[in-house]
Amino acid sequence: PAPFAPAPADQRALAEAASARVNDALGVLRDPLRRADYALALATGETSVLDDETRTASPTLLMEVMEVREAVDDASDEASLNILVDENASRAAATRARLADAFSRGDHAKCADLVIELNFWGKVAAEARAKAAAERWEGIL
């Protein structure tokens, strides 16, 4: 958009809109969760799994996520939180691998479940980062 600064308002608006679309596309490509959700929507022609408020996770997954979130909340020092962060990163990596396998087999229902699961692990990671920031623990990524 910078080269369009002296351009008429309608051209600047078009340039800004195009730039926003490119930035959003880059965000989708960089984020494994958003990329998987987008790819699944393209493959099925359905709406985003993440935007589907009627979709639910399995009770087993919900229980596991609840236990992990409680462990993050109960972490009493940086070292114990780092262990939880590493374990969560391993869970997310395993979920991404299962997701890639499900995509390769064309199992879209399984893909949808795994996108939801990956979303939960991302939320756990964000909660761990927030706890580290609140505690002023610097070594958590």
Side-chain angles (χ1 to χ4, degrees), residues 99-110:
L99 182 58
D101 179 61
F103 263 116
S104 71
R105 292 182 286 108
D107 187 348
H108 297 143
K110 184 66 174 175

Side-chain angles (χ1 to χ4, degrees), residues 91-117:
R91 278 189 291 275
T95 301
R96 286 191 302 273
R98 292 191 335 265
L99 182 58
D101 179 61
F103 263 116
S104 71
R105 292 182 286 108
D107 187 348
H108 297 143
K110 184 66 174 175
C111 289
D113 291 342
L114 291 167
V115 166
I116 296 299
E117 182 176 334

